[in-house]
């Protein structure tokens, strides 16, 4: 079938427009943000960063427990480990959003804490697609408790919908502003599943009313990081073991 004259004109223009968008959103604008952020005082040590080195979501939750204990706790609580980002998983999450079909283990974008991508990520779907979901990323630290169980720091947020980043124009999930609600809800889920024996707070990003993450979304927080002690087998800890 021969292509019409109109199609021969429109298709190259459309391809050029898409290429211009990709270059602008994924290369030029991120470089502008990197330049801007590096001229400002460096962001707080309890804030993650995007792959473009733009300040991301704050650290607002933590766990003490082995990897197996943490994985088991989330599985029992009805949360799913997020898939790695591959062509297949990227297509699946896209179809989930567009076709409104479930994808309970959809991938999450990488965030970096102290130069490292998250070690673990979990999510709990809301509704019939990956458009909205509770999710959390965790980073293994070099600290442990008195029983040599690892200390994990994490960032819990709620994805309220898919759209374009307010800062770069990249396709992304937008988060809900009340990140404390996500932090507290996550720990409540693990407690209800019988896997958290005690909790305590540590200083986090600090009280913030007008924060902005790497997608340009606003957030507010009391600034505390809520730490949960994961149950070790049948043991029921009565207090939080100190970190060392």
């Amino acid at each position: 079938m021969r292509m019409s004259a109109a199609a021969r004109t429109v298709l190259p223009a459309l391809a050029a427009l898409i290429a211009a968008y990709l270059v602008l959103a994924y290369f030029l604008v991120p470089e502008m943000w990197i330049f801007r952020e590096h001229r400002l005082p460096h962001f707080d040590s309890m804030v993650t960063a995007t792959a473009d080195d733009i300040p991301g979501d704050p650290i607002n939750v933590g766990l003490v427990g082995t990897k197996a204990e943490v994985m088991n706790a989330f599985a029992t609580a009805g949360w799913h480990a997020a898939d790695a980002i591959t062509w297949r998983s990227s297509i699946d999450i896209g179809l989930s959003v567009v076709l409104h079909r479930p994808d309970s283990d959809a991938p999450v974008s990488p965030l970096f804490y102290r130069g490292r991508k998250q070690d673990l990520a979990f999510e709990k779907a809301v509704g019939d697609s990956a458009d909205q979901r509770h999710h959390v990323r965790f980073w293994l630290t070099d600290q442990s408790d008195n029983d040599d169980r690892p200390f994990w720091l994490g960032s819990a947020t709620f994805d309220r919908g898919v759209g374009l980043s307010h800062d770069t124009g990249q396709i992304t999930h937008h988060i809900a502003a009340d990140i404390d609600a996500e932090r507290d809800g996550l720990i409540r889920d693990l407690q209800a599943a019988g896997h958290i024996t005690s909790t305590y707070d540590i200083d986090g990003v600090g009280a913030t009313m007008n924060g902005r993450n790497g997608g340009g979304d606003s957030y507010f927080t009391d600034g505390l990081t809520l730490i949960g002690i994961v149950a070790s087998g049948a043991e029921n800890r009565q207090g939080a073991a100190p970190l060392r």
Side-chain angles (χ1 to χ4, degrees), residues 191-212:
Q191 286 176 323
H195 285 275
I196 296 294
T197 60
S198 60
T199 64
Y200 64 98
D201 295 324
I202 64 173
D203 290 336
V205 69
T208 305
M209 290 303 297
N210 296 296
R212 280 169 61 90

Side-chain angles (χ1 to χ4, degrees), residues 69-88:
E69 290 165 350
V70 170
M71 297 283 289
N72 183 49
F74 275 95
T76 305
W79 288 61
H80 295 263
D83 281 342
I85 296 179
T86 64
W87 281 109
R88 176 61 184 271

